[in-house]
Amino acid sequence: MYVTALGLYECEINGQTVGRDVFTPGWTEYRKRVQVQTYDVTALLRAGENAWGAILGDGWFCGHISSKDRQGYGPQPVFLAQLEITMPDGSVHRIVTDSSWKYSTGPILENDLIMGESYDARLELENWSLPGFREEGWLPVVEEAAPQIILTASASPPVRRQEVIRINGPLGAGAPAGKRSIFDVGQNIAGRVCITVRGPRGGHFHIRHAEMLDAHGELYVDNLRSARCTDKYTCKGGEEETWEPRFTFHGFRYVEIVFSGPDIEIVKIEAVALYSDMEQTGSFSCSQPLVNQLFQNIHWGMKGNFLEVPTDCPQRDERLGWTGDAQVFVSTAGFLRDVRGFFTKWMLDVADAQKPSGAISSVAPQIDARTGEDAGPGWSDAAIICPWEIYRVYGDRRILEQNYATMQRFIEFLRDKRCRDHIRSHPSVDPWGGHGDWLAMDGGVDREGSTPKDLIGTAYFAYDLELLSRIAGILGKTDDSIHYKAWREEVVRAFRRRFVTEDGLLVGNNQTSHVLALHFNLLPEVARNIAASELAKNIQKRSYHLSTGFLGTPYICRVLEDAGHLDVAYKLLEQETFPSWLFPVKNGATTIWERWDSWTPDKGFQAARMNSFNHYAYGAIGAWLVGTVAGIELDADQPGGSHILFRPRPGGTITQAEASWHTVRGRVAIKWEKCNDRLNLALTVPAFGCATLLPPDGYVAGQLKFGPGRHEIVLNGEVLAQKINRAS
């Protein structure tokens, strides 16, 4: 079966659902392409008569997207399918969607990804997808002209039902008894509720969803904005009834169920997590329980937002594929899960959303063709950074080849439309300048932070050119590589002229200014130590608290480490008071918050207009936890895990750490433990793999043991130990 839709579909053959995928065919730039799923349905067919049908939902095509009105792409769902049956004699029989099909409404009264779903079980069509069903009253379908878009095979893993969490009894006594109950899932997820009830015919209830409770123990829903996030069910009566919505999802930890009367009994209630079906590849733990919970929060934040596209949040009326969030988190994502297909598909969305000028949109898929040209620094750069990171983790150059033209058009757009004298976001040509260091704490009421936007823009411009030069070299485009390298050098010189004083100080003099200049290697050697020292001083003056936003936070600990301030990095990591990574953890968070101050004891909830409690961007610290605290890194010059760097850097109160990573070449693992003045190490290298051990300062390597296969350990550039086993 080949099947797709503009909207959502769920197919049935002979009473059986086809496949396990949810929200098919997925979300794309419907004006340009739609995905097609292919299923082997042989086992569902039988000799003699067969019946085939589909249930359609509104989805992203004609339901609400973000806070915009419905029907952004089209007025109603459209279905297209073809069933090919190969007979024993080799002939092929095709059944296609055409004017012979009929349609009817059913028990789903409304469905919307943001608002919710309503279901009246009294209207169920018994056995509608079984042979012999009499479709009395059904109407002939309306055939639509084929849109001029690309039909493409699905590139990404499908969304599927994942963890199912059994929910225990309600919180408190409820009020009044039997009419309303609030339940705690125990984990903030993206998904929906599956509920089994027993009630009279016509009895009904609705389920509201929220991430937090307010000070009175009620659902905190102000931050949902216009999202109703409510599902409704009407009982058919008699036997137990189990219902799980088909065409909606919500971001929630708490659910409130309001009944029409006390005669509806809940038999069982579960929360079902939904996200793209990416294999888990990484794990991490250490001796600090709060850091372990932070890592779990990072992982759950990713699961809740890697649903078809890398959304910013799953709860309010937004849920868009923001480019800035994705690019800061992509390296952490590549450790946690196999995201090759996920990002391969999403980079198609990014390319489809690219403007004719070469500008890259803030979100992909693009929800409104009329929106502004440029996403700005740190956001539009995802067009280059994300493919590079996927190549670095998996070693497959096809993603670079597929996106090279998009990258080139983007760089040319920056040169022609956003730069003056090699300064990107120069106020004279780009008065807006981008989103800035989004939600930084140093900007007062300004959500864009205090870091100069032209500094951010020029720093990212130089980084883009560095990556593009490397990418061109990998693809054998030598002239391009030389060109982009020379261009980067000009941008770096312009950066130094505009943003670095003769004394080596940086304009802005805040945490993010120093972090970007150091991380992107934009400073002369004489100024690097000065900038690192100023960064450390800034952090110390803030009593080891962060002031960075979306763009400065991902790199701050690595920059401190590389500059010899590992102790400061660990103090930031283990800081438990606001603002810090562990402050939400100490206050019960199970995912990453959008803002450092999403909630504080003295002020309560932040402004409801933008206050998500499942927003993965600040979870980008996960890459440093793996690379430094545990000590596993991939060599960017030998991508795909062909060369592993073991570089544990103990610090703070952490005395033990371990991590495991299933790379494309096999399992890599490290476990270390401090014992007095010793560091006991256990390392795992894939067969036919190569690794370099870089011990922390003050330690030297002792005896190393190896398992089967060919392994090589290199210390300080020399082969330290080697074993070859040709037995298998």
PDB file of all heavy atoms in Angstrom, residues 437-451 510 542 546-549 578 595-597 603 606-607 609-610 618:
ATOM      1  N   ASP A 437      20.603  37.091  21.965  1.00  0.00           N
ATOM      2  CA  ASP A 437      20.859  35.964  22.866  1.00  0.00           C
ATOM      3  C   ASP A 437      19.569  35.711  23.642  1.00  0.00           C
ATOM      4  O   ASP A 437      19.417  36.106  24.794  1.00  0.00           O
ATOM      5  CB  ASP A 437      22.020  36.296  23.803  1.00  0.00           C
ATOM      6  CG  ASP A 437      22.437  35.104  24.639  1.00  0.00           C
ATOM      7  OD1 ASP A 437      22.218  33.959  24.205  1.00  0.00           O
ATOM      8  OD2 ASP A 437      22.986  35.312  25.740  1.00  0.00           O
ATOM      9  N   TRP A 438      18.664  35.022  23.011  1.00  0.00           N
ATOM     10  CA  TRP A 438      17.277  34.923  23.438  1.00  0.00           C
ATOM     11  C   TRP A 438      17.150  34.475  24.889  1.00  0.00           C
ATOM     12  O   TRP A 438      17.714  33.484  25.312  1.00  0.00           O
ATOM     13  CB  TRP A 438      16.539  33.973  22.507  1.00  0.00           C
ATOM     14  CG  TRP A 438      15.054  33.912  22.692  1.00  0.00           C
ATOM     15  CD1 TRP A 438      14.318  32.862  23.126  1.00  0.00           C
ATOM     16  CD2 TRP A 438      14.126  34.976  22.432  1.00  0.00           C
ATOM     17  NE1 TRP A 438      12.982  33.189  23.152  1.00  0.00           N
ATOM     18  CE2 TRP A 438      12.835  34.481  22.724  1.00  0.00           C
ATOM     19  CE3 TRP A 438      14.261  36.288  21.976  1.00  0.00           C
ATOM     20  CZ2 TRP A 438      11.693  35.257  22.585  1.00  0.00           C
ATOM     21  CZ3 TRP A 438      13.123  37.050  21.831  1.00  0.00           C
ATOM     22  CH2 TRP A 438      11.859  36.543  22.139  1.00  0.00           C
ATOM     23  N   LEU A 439      16.368  35.253  25.657  1.00  0.00           N
ATOM     24  CA  LEU A 439      16.033  34.983  27.060  1.00  0.00           C
ATOM     25  C   LEU A 439      17.241  35.010  27.989  1.00  0.00           C
ATOM     26  O   LEU A 439      17.227  34.382  29.052  1.00  0.00           O
ATOM     27  CB  LEU A 439      15.287  33.652  27.199  1.00  0.00           C
ATOM     28  CG  LEU A 439      13.926  33.587  26.482  1.00  0.00           C
ATOM     29  CD1 LEU A 439      13.248  32.258  26.746  1.00  0.00           C
ATOM     30  CD2 LEU A 439      13.031  34.731  26.904  1.00  0.00           C
ATOM     31  N   ALA A 440      18.294  35.728  27.592  1.00  0.00           N
ATOM     32  CA  ALA A 440      19.426  35.929  28.499  1.00  0.00           C
ATOM     33  C   ALA A 440      18.977  36.739  29.712  1.00  0.00           C
ATOM     34  O   ALA A 440      18.090  37.598  29.622  1.00  0.00           O
ATOM     35  CB  ALA A 440      20.564  36.644  27.778  1.00  0.00           C
ATOM     36  N   MET A 441      19.612  36.492  30.841  1.00  0.00           N
ATOM     37  CA  MET A 441      19.240  37.164  32.082  1.00  0.00           C
ATOM     38  C   MET A 441      19.844  38.561  32.200  1.00  0.00           C
ATOM     39  O   MET A 441      19.512  39.295  33.130  1.00  0.00           O
ATOM     40  CB  MET A 441      19.684  36.323  33.278  1.00  0.00           C
ATOM     41  CG  MET A 441      18.961  34.991  33.420  1.00  0.00           C
ATOM     42  SD  MET A 441      17.182  35.164  33.690  1.00  0.00           S
ATOM     43  CE  MET A 441      17.164  36.042  35.250  1.00  0.00           C
ATOM     44  N   ASP A 442      20.730  38.919  31.273  1.00  0.00           N
ATOM     45  CA  ASP A 442      21.420  40.203  31.400  1.00  0.00           C
ATOM     46  C   ASP A 442      20.752  41.314  30.604  1.00  0.00           C
ATOM     47  O   ASP A 442      21.301  42.404  30.464  1.00  0.00           O
ATOM     48  CB  ASP A 442      22.888  40.075  30.975  1.00  0.00           C
ATOM     49  CG  ASP A 442      23.052  39.577  29.544  1.00  0.00           C
ATOM     50  OD1 ASP A 442      22.066  39.594  28.776  1.00  0.00           O
ATOM     51  OD2 ASP A 442      24.163  39.156  29.192  1.00  0.00           O
ATOM     52  N   GLY A 443      19.551  41.061  30.086  1.00  0.00           N
ATOM     53  CA  GLY A 443      18.905  42.064  29.251  1.00  0.00           C
ATOM     54  C   GLY A 443      17.790  42.826  29.920  1.00  0.00           C
ATOM     55  O   GLY A 443      17.086  43.594  29.267  1.00  0.00           O
ATOM     56  N   GLY A 444      17.599  42.613  31.231  1.00  0.00           N
ATOM     57  CA  GLY A 444      16.491  43.279  31.902  1.00  0.00           C
ATOM     58  C   GLY A 444      15.175  42.772  31.352  1.00  0.00           C
ATOM     59  O   GLY A 444      14.953  41.567  31.233  1.00  0.00           O
ATOM     60  N   VAL A 445      14.303  43.697  30.984  1.00  0.00           N
ATOM     61  CA  VAL A 445      13.013  43.287  30.417  1.00  0.00           C
ATOM     62  C   VAL A 445      13.137  42.901  28.951  1.00  0.00           C
ATOM     63  O   VAL A 445      12.205  42.345  28.374  1.00  0.00           O
ATOM     64  CB  VAL A 445      11.971  44.420  30.565  1.00  0.00           C
ATOM     65  CG1 VAL A 445      11.694  44.697  32.032  1.00  0.00           C
ATOM     66  CG2 VAL A 445      12.433  45.693  29.850  1.00  0.00           C
ATOM     67  N   ASP A 446      14.292  43.183  28.337  1.00  0.00           N
ATOM     68  CA  ASP A 446      14.515  42.832  26.935  1.00  0.00           C
ATOM     69  C   ASP A 446      14.833  41.344  26.848  1.00  0.00           C
ATOM     70  O   ASP A 446      15.847  40.880  27.365  1.00  0.00           O
ATOM     71  CB  ASP A 446      15.682  43.648  26.376  1.00  0.00           C
ATOM     72  CG  ASP A 446      15.873  43.435  24.883  1.00  0.00           C
ATOM     73  OD1 ASP A 446      15.200  42.547  24.322  1.00  0.00           O
ATOM     74  OD2 ASP A 446      16.701  44.144  24.284  1.00  0.00           O
ATOM     75  N   ARG A 447      13.980  40.597  26.185  1.00  0.00           N
ATOM     76  CA  ARG A 447      14.176  39.153  26.095  1.00  0.00           C
ATOM     77  C   ARG A 447      15.350  38.777  25.201  1.00  0.00           C
ATOM     78  O   ARG A 447      15.776  37.619  25.185  1.00  0.00           O
ATOM     79  CB  ARG A 447      12.898  38.495  25.559  1.00  0.00           C
ATOM     80  CG  ARG A 447      11.725  38.579  26.513  1.00  0.00           C
ATOM     81  CD  ARG A 447      10.463  38.007  25.904  1.00  0.00           C
ATOM     82  NE  ARG A 447       9.989  38.774  24.762  1.00  0.00           N
ATOM     83  CZ  ARG A 447       8.867  38.506  24.097  1.00  0.00           C
ATOM     84  NH1 ARG A 447       8.131  37.480  24.438  1.00  0.00           N
ATOM     85  NH2 ARG A 447       8.495  39.254  23.075  1.00  0.00           N
ATOM     86  N   GLU A 448      15.899  39.725  24.451  1.00  0.00           N
ATOM     87  CA  GLU A 448      16.971  39.428  23.513  1.00  0.00           C
ATOM     88  C   GLU A 448      18.353  39.589  24.120  1.00  0.00           C
ATOM     89  O   GLU A 448      19.362  39.411  23.435  1.00  0.00           O
ATOM     90  CB  GLU A 448      16.829  40.309  22.271  1.00  0.00           C
ATOM     91  CG  GLU A 448      15.515  40.034  21.519  1.00  0.00           C
ATOM     92  CD  GLU A 448      15.275  40.980  20.372  1.00  0.00           C
ATOM     93  OE1 GLU A 448      15.997  41.996  20.276  1.00  0.00           O
ATOM     94  OE2 GLU A 448      14.380  40.714  19.561  1.00  0.00           O
ATOM     95  N   GLY A 449      18.456  39.912  25.421  1.00  0.00           N
ATOM     96  CA  GLY A 449      19.742  40.002  26.087  1.00  0.00           C
ATOM     97  C   GLY A 449      20.506  41.266  25.736  1.00  0.00           C
ATOM     98  O   GLY A 449      20.079  42.078  24.910  1.00  0.00           O
ATOM     99  N   SER A 450      21.674  41.419  26.359  1.00  0.00           N
ATOM    100  CA  SER A 450      22.472  42.636  26.167  1.00  0.00           C
ATOM    101  C   SER A 450      23.620  42.460  25.184  1.00  0.00           C
ATOM    102  O   SER A 450      24.318  43.428  24.871  1.00  0.00           O
ATOM    103  CB  SER A 450      23.037  43.106  27.513  1.00  0.00           C
ATOM    104  OG  SER A 450      23.971  42.168  28.030  1.00  0.00           O
ATOM    105  N   THR A 451      23.865  41.252  24.692  1.00  0.00           N
ATOM    106  CA  THR A 451      24.953  41.038  23.748  1.00  0.00           C
ATOM    107  C   THR A 451      24.636  41.744  22.434  1.00  0.00           C
ATOM    108  O   THR A 451      23.553  41.548  21.865  1.00  0.00           O
ATOM    109  CB  THR A 451      25.150  39.536  23.481  1.00  0.00           C
ATOM    110  OG1 THR A 451      25.283  38.847  24.721  1.00  0.00           O
ATOM    111  CG2 THR A 451      26.378  39.298  22.628  1.00  0.00           C
ATOM    112  N   ASN A 510      29.976  40.842  28.495  1.00  0.00           N
ATOM    113  CA  ASN A 510      29.085  39.959  29.247  1.00  0.00           C
ATOM    114  C   ASN A 510      29.469  38.512  28.949  1.00  0.00           C
ATOM    115  O   ASN A 510      30.404  38.234  28.193  1.00  0.00           O
ATOM    116  CB  ASN A 510      27.620  40.237  28.910  1.00  0.00           C
ATOM    117  CG  ASN A 510      27.295  39.967  27.451  1.00  0.00           C
ATOM    118  OD1 ASN A 510      28.113  39.443  26.694  1.00  0.00           O
ATOM    119  ND2 ASN A 510      26.091  40.311  27.034  1.00  0.00           N
ATOM    120  N   ARG A 542      28.839  37.090  39.734  1.00  0.00           N
ATOM    121  CA  ARG A 542      27.443  36.677  39.830  1.00  0.00           C
ATOM    122  C   ARG A 542      27.269  35.476  40.760  1.00  0.00           C
ATOM    123  O   ARG A 542      26.246  34.788  40.719  1.00  0.00           O
ATOM    124  CB  ARG A 542      26.897  36.344  38.441  1.00  0.00           C
ATOM    125  CG  ARG A 542      26.781  37.553  37.518  1.00  0.00           C
ATOM    126  CD  ARG A 542      26.292  37.150  36.121  1.00  0.00           C
ATOM    127  NE  ARG A 542      26.090  38.323  35.270  1.00  0.00           N
ATOM    128  CZ  ARG A 542      24.959  38.997  35.171  1.00  0.00           C
ATOM    129  NH1 ARG A 542      23.902  38.612  35.877  1.00  0.00           N
ATOM    130  NH2 ARG A 542      24.851  40.046  34.382  1.00  0.00           N
ATOM    131  N   LEU A 546      24.549  31.760  35.894  1.00  0.00           N
ATOM    132  CA  LEU A 546      24.489  32.031  34.466  1.00  0.00           C
ATOM    133  C   LEU A 546      23.733  33.325  34.186  1.00  0.00           C
ATOM    134  O   LEU A 546      22.767  33.653  34.876  1.00  0.00           O
ATOM    135  CB  LEU A 546      23.770  30.885  33.754  1.00  0.00           C
ATOM    136  CG  LEU A 546      24.478  29.527  33.730  1.00  0.00           C
ATOM    137  CD1 LEU A 546      23.469  28.404  33.529  1.00  0.00           C
ATOM    138  CD2 LEU A 546      25.528  29.505  32.623  1.00  0.00           C
ATOM    139  N   SER A 547      24.152  34.033  33.136  1.00  0.00           N
ATOM    140  CA  SER A 547      23.352  35.141  32.613  1.00  0.00           C
ATOM    141  C   SER A 547      23.119  34.971  31.120  1.00  0.00           C
ATOM    142  O   SER A 547      22.549  35.839  30.472  1.00  0.00           O
ATOM    143  CB  SER A 547      24.047  36.490  32.874  1.00  0.00           C
ATOM    144  OG  SER A 547      25.244  36.591  32.120  1.00  0.00           O
ATOM    145  N   THR A 548      23.558  33.835  30.571  1.00  0.00           N
ATOM    146  CA  THR A 548      23.470  33.581  29.137  1.00  0.00           C
ATOM    147  C   THR A 548      22.066  33.174  28.715  1.00  0.00           C
ATOM    148  O   THR A 548      21.270  32.683  29.513  1.00  0.00           O
ATOM    149  CB  THR A 548      24.437  32.452  28.754  1.00  0.00           C
ATOM    150  OG1 THR A 548      24.242  31.367  29.669  1.00  0.00           O
ATOM    151  CG2 THR A 548      25.872  32.907  28.832  1.00  0.00           C
ATOM    152  N   GLY A 549      21.787  33.355  27.416  1.00  0.00           N
ATOM    153  CA  GLY A 549      20.527  32.922  26.835  1.00  0.00           C
ATOM    154  C   GLY A 549      20.733  31.724  25.932  1.00  0.00           C
ATOM    155  O   GLY A 549      21.675  30.939  26.101  1.00  0.00           O
ATOM    156  N   PHE A 578      18.918  29.869  41.728  1.00  0.00           N
ATOM    157  CA  PHE A 578      18.526  30.560  40.504  1.00  0.00           C
ATOM    158  C   PHE A 578      19.501  31.680  40.165  1.00  0.00           C
ATOM    159  O   PHE A 578      19.916  32.422  41.059  1.00  0.00           O
ATOM    160  CB  PHE A 578      17.120  31.128  40.719  1.00  0.00           C
ATOM    161  CG  PHE A 578      16.719  32.171  39.719  1.00  0.00           C
ATOM    162  CD1 PHE A 578      16.275  31.804  38.471  1.00  0.00           C
ATOM    163  CD2 PHE A 578      16.794  33.522  40.038  1.00  0.00           C
ATOM    164  CE1 PHE A 578      15.901  32.763  37.554  1.00  0.00           C
ATOM    165  CE2 PHE A 578      16.425  34.482  39.126  1.00  0.00           C
ATOM    166  CZ  PHE A 578      15.975  34.103  37.872  1.00  0.00           C
ATOM    167  N   ARG A 595      12.703  29.170  30.244  1.00  0.00           N
ATOM    168  CA  ARG A 595      13.369  30.324  30.838  1.00  0.00           C
ATOM    169  C   ARG A 595      14.038  29.890  32.139  1.00  0.00           C
ATOM    170  O   ARG A 595      13.576  28.974  32.823  1.00  0.00           O
ATOM    171  CB  ARG A 595      12.358  31.430  31.139  1.00  0.00           C
ATOM    172  CG  ARG A 595      11.349  31.694  30.044  1.00  0.00           C
ATOM    173  CD  ARG A 595      10.289  32.685  30.468  1.00  0.00           C
ATOM    174  NE  ARG A 595      10.832  34.015  30.615  1.00  0.00           N
ATOM    175  CZ  ARG A 595      10.396  35.089  29.952  1.00  0.00           C
ATOM    176  NH1 ARG A 595       9.391  34.986  29.109  1.00  0.00           N
ATOM    177  NH2 ARG A 595      10.931  36.267  30.129  1.00  0.00           N
ATOM    178  N   TRP A 596      15.124  30.585  32.473  1.00  0.00           N
ATOM    179  CA  TRP A 596      15.731  30.334  33.783  1.00  0.00           C
ATOM    180  C   TRP A 596      14.730  30.657  34.896  1.00  0.00           C
ATOM    181  O   TRP A 596      14.733  30.026  35.948  1.00  0.00           O
ATOM    182  CB  TRP A 596      16.984  31.182  33.954  1.00  0.00           C
ATOM    183  CG  TRP A 596      18.072  30.940  32.955  1.00  0.00           C
ATOM    184  CD1 TRP A 596      18.605  31.846  32.086  1.00  0.00           C
ATOM    185  CD2 TRP A 596      18.774  29.710  32.706  1.00  0.00           C
ATOM    186  NE1 TRP A 596      19.591  31.270  31.321  1.00  0.00           N
ATOM    187  CE2 TRP A 596      19.724  29.963  31.689  1.00  0.00           C
ATOM    188  CE3 TRP A 596      18.701  28.425  33.255  1.00  0.00           C
ATOM    189  CZ2 TRP A 596      20.586  28.974  31.202  1.00  0.00           C
ATOM    190  CZ3 TRP A 596      19.564  27.442  32.776  1.00  0.00           C
ATOM    191  CH2 TRP A 596      20.484  27.726  31.769  1.00  0.00           C
ATOM    192  N   ASP A 597      13.869  31.644  34.654  1.00  0.00           N
ATOM    193  CA  ASP A 597      12.918  32.084  35.674  1.00  0.00           C
ATOM    194  C   ASP A 597      11.482  31.732  35.298  1.00  0.00           C
ATOM    195  O   ASP A 597      10.555  32.498  35.575  1.00  0.00           O
ATOM    196  CB  ASP A 597      13.047  33.587  35.917  1.00  0.00           C
ATOM    197  CG  ASP A 597      12.813  34.420  34.654  1.00  0.00           C
ATOM    198  OD1 ASP A 597      12.782  33.834  33.552  1.00  0.00           O
ATOM    199  OD2 ASP A 597      12.673  35.643  34.773  1.00  0.00           O
ATOM    200  N   LYS A 603       8.646  35.084  42.941  1.00  0.00           N
ATOM    201  CA  LYS A 603       7.802  35.733  41.937  1.00  0.00           C
ATOM    202  C   LYS A 603       6.767  34.801  41.327  1.00  0.00           C
ATOM    203  O   LYS A 603       5.889  35.250  40.590  1.00  0.00           O
ATOM    204  CB  LYS A 603       8.676  36.324  40.831  1.00  0.00           C
ATOM    205  CG  LYS A 603       9.578  37.454  41.301  1.00  0.00           C
ATOM    206  CD  LYS A 603      10.356  38.046  40.141  1.00  0.00           C
ATOM    207  CE  LYS A 603      11.247  39.185  40.608  1.00  0.00           C
ATOM    208  NZ  LYS A 603      12.033  39.769  39.483  1.00  0.00           N
ATOM    209  N   GLN A 606       6.468  33.094  35.505  1.00  0.00           N
ATOM    210  CA  GLN A 606       6.826  34.196  34.619  1.00  0.00           C
ATOM    211  C   GLN A 606       5.608  34.575  33.767  1.00  0.00           C
ATOM    212  O   GLN A 606       4.542  33.974  33.855  1.00  0.00           O
ATOM    213  CB  GLN A 606       7.984  33.773  33.712  1.00  0.00           C
ATOM    214  CG  GLN A 606       9.259  34.571  33.915  1.00  0.00           C
ATOM    215  CD  GLN A 606       9.158  36.002  33.399  1.00  0.00           C
ATOM    216  OE1 GLN A 606       8.151  36.412  32.821  1.00  0.00           O
ATOM    217  NE2 GLN A 606      10.193  36.782  33.621  1.00  0.00           N
ATOM    218  N   ALA A 607       5.798  35.589  32.933  1.00  0.00           N
ATOM    219  CA  ALA A 607       4.708  36.069  32.084  1.00  0.00           C
ATOM    220  C   ALA A 607       4.132  34.918  31.265  1.00  0.00           C
ATOM    221  O   ALA A 607       4.858  34.198  30.575  1.00  0.00           O
ATOM    222  CB  ALA A 607       5.219  37.173  31.161  1.00  0.00           C
ATOM    223  N   ARG A 609       2.555  34.743  28.584  1.00  0.00           N
ATOM    224  CA  ARG A 609       2.588  34.801  27.124  1.00  0.00           C
ATOM    225  C   ARG A 609       3.742  33.981  26.540  1.00  0.00           C
ATOM    226  O   ARG A 609       3.729  33.642  25.351  1.00  0.00           O
ATOM    227  CB  ARG A 609       2.696  36.253  26.647  1.00  0.00           C
ATOM    228  CG  ARG A 609       3.996  36.934  27.012  1.00  0.00           C
ATOM    229  CD  ARG A 609       4.012  38.384  26.534  1.00  0.00           C
ATOM    230  NE  ARG A 609       5.245  39.072  26.878  1.00  0.00           N
ATOM    231  CZ  ARG A 609       5.476  39.678  28.025  1.00  0.00           C
ATOM    232  NH1 ARG A 609       4.543  39.688  28.957  1.00  0.00           N
ATOM    233  NH2 ARG A 609       6.625  40.287  28.268  1.00  0.00           N
ATOM    234  N   MET A 610       4.746  33.663  27.356  1.00  0.00           N
ATOM    235  CA  MET A 610       5.863  32.862  26.851  1.00  0.00           C
ATOM    236  C   MET A 610       6.542  32.180  28.027  1.00  0.00           C
ATOM    237  O   MET A 610       7.515  32.679  28.585  1.00  0.00           O
ATOM    238  CB  MET A 610       6.868  33.732  26.095  1.00  0.00           C
ATOM    239  CG  MET A 610       7.836  32.923  25.244  1.00  0.00           C
ATOM    240  SD  MET A 610       9.062  33.956  24.474  1.00  0.00           S
ATOM    241  CE  MET A 610       9.997  34.451  25.909  1.00  0.00           C
ATOM    242  N   TYR A 618      18.066  24.802  26.504  1.00  0.00           N
ATOM    243  CA  TYR A 618      19.093  24.840  27.552  1.00  0.00           C
ATOM    244  C   TYR A 618      19.625  23.453  27.882  1.00  0.00           C
ATOM    245  O   TYR A 618      20.620  23.310  28.593  1.00  0.00           O
ATOM    246  CB  TYR A 618      18.541  25.504  28.814  1.00  0.00           C
ATOM    247  CG  TYR A 618      18.384  27.012  28.678  1.00  0.00           C
ATOM    248  CD1 TYR A 618      17.290  27.657  29.238  1.00  0.00           C
ATOM    249  CD2 TYR A 618      19.320  27.769  27.994  1.00  0.00           C
ATOM    250  CE1 TYR A 618      17.132  29.031  29.121  1.00  0.00           C
ATOM    251  CE2 TYR A 618      19.165  29.141  27.866  1.00  0.00           C
ATOM    252  CZ  TYR A 618      18.074  29.775  28.431  1.00  0.00           C
ATOM    253  OH  TYR A 618      17.922  31.131  28.311  1.00  0.00           O
TER     254      TYR A 618
END
